[in-house]
Amino acid sequence: MKKESKYRNLVSWIALGLSIIAIGISTYTIELKPISLKEPNLNWILGILISIMSIAVTTILGIQIHAVMTIDKRIQKKIEKERETYQYENLKLTEHLKAFTIAVQRFTSGNIYLTNEEYNDAFCVFCLAAIDANKIGEKDLVSSSLEQSVNLLNHGKYINKCEVVMKHIDEIEQGMINIPDKRAIYIYNHLSSLPSFD
């Protein structure tokens, strides 16, 4: 591709040089005599016409040369721009998938804790899953996680201010404030009224 580009540039410069020489020769051959309509000088008219055609051809060649010389740069800029766009989109997608995976893992862990009757751990990971899912806009996962958390709170005898809950209570409170859902407000309000661990 680079050899082709160099070859095209060389041919373009040669064509431009020849065009300038043609204009110079045609200008040199013009005799500056007044035009007589009674006795037209055919050589003078032909000289003018050739000069005009040379200028027109040179202009066209100049435009073509400029297009040929800049097309590679324009194509390269377009490719670079698209590459940067895709890299940015891929980075965003990677971050989104990573956050989504963490949120799903927490939700799954919550269900495992429920099965093992570890309700405080389940409550914490469901709340954290809702917070993570809210950050990436996964509304279904937010809703499912909040639903599980509220269900555990409604069985208040299970959830208390144990070490696990107290470890995450600040993070959960801050996260619940940012979730636009009544259940998040419900959880936030109940965190301060949880019974202490006996």
Side-chain angles (χ1 to χ4, degrees):
M1 176 121 181
K2 286 184 178 179
K3 287 182 181 178
E4 247 180 67
S5 176
K6 285 181 181 178
Y7 176 73
R8 277 186 283 158
N9 286 344
L10 179 65
V11 170
S12 299
W13 282 110
I14 291 171
L16 181 62
L18 291 174
S19 298
I20 291 170
I21 291 170
I23 288 176
I25 291 171
S26 65
T27 305
Y28 178 74
T29 60
I30 294 175
E31 295 177 20
L32 298 175
K33 295 180 183 175
I35 298 175
S36 171
L37 296 176
K38 293 178 184 176
E39 298 176 20
N41 185 348
L42 191 59
N43 287 337
W44 189 85
I45 292 171
L46 285 174
I48 292 290
L49 290 175
I50 290 171
S51 295
I52 292 169
M53 287 177 61
S54 296
I55 291 169
V57 168
T58 303
T59 304
I60 291 169
L61 279 173
I63 292 169
Q64 291 299 323
I65 289 167
H66 181 266
V68 167
M69 291 174 69
T70 60
I71 195 164
D72 287 340
K73 290 178 183 176
R74 285 183 282 162
I75 289 172
Q76 193 63 33
K77 280 183 183 178
K78 183 75 173 166
I79 290 170
E80 286 299 320
K81 185 178 178 183
E82 292 298 320
R83 185 180 295 145
E84 286 173 10
T85 302
Y86 287 125
Q87 282 178 341
Y88 176 71
E89 292 297 323
N90 284 340
L91 185 61
K92 276 175 55 178
L93 183 60
T94 302
E95 291 299 318
H96 181 85
L97 287 174
K98 184 178 175 184
F100 181 71
T101 302
I102 291 170
V104 169
Q105 285 175 342
R106 285 185 165 165
F107 184 81
T108 305
S109 298
N111 286 319
I112 292 169
Y113 284 133
L114 274 179
T115 306
N116 294 331
E117 296 182 357
E118 297 175 24
Y119 300 113
N120 287 302
D121 293 301
F123 172 75
C124 286
V125 291
F126 282 132
C127 289
L128 295 172
I131 292 165
D132 289 342
N134 182 61
K135 288 177 184 174
I136 56 173
E138 292 291 335
K139 293 181 181 178
D140 291 339
L141 187 56
V142 171
S143 182
S144 300
S145 300
L146 289 176
E147 191 63 35
Q148 291 285 52
S149 300
V150 168
N151 286 340
L152 285 166
L153 275 180
N154 287 337
H155 299 287
K157 59 183 179 180
Y158 299 129
I159 307 302
N160 50 52
K161 289 184 180 175
C162 66
E163 184 179 338
V164 173
V165 172
M166 294 310 292
K167 180 180 177 183
H168 297 285
I169 197 161
D170 291 335
E171 184 181 355
I172 293 170
E173 285 178 337
Q174 283 298 108
M176 289 300 151
I177 291 171
N178 297 321
I179 300 176
D181 191 300
K182 291 179 182 178
R183 292 170 294 185
I185 296 167
Y186 178 81
I187 292 168
Y188 178 83
N189 290 334
H190 276 72
L191 284 175
S192 60
S193 61
L194 290 177
S196 295
F197 180 67
D198 294 324

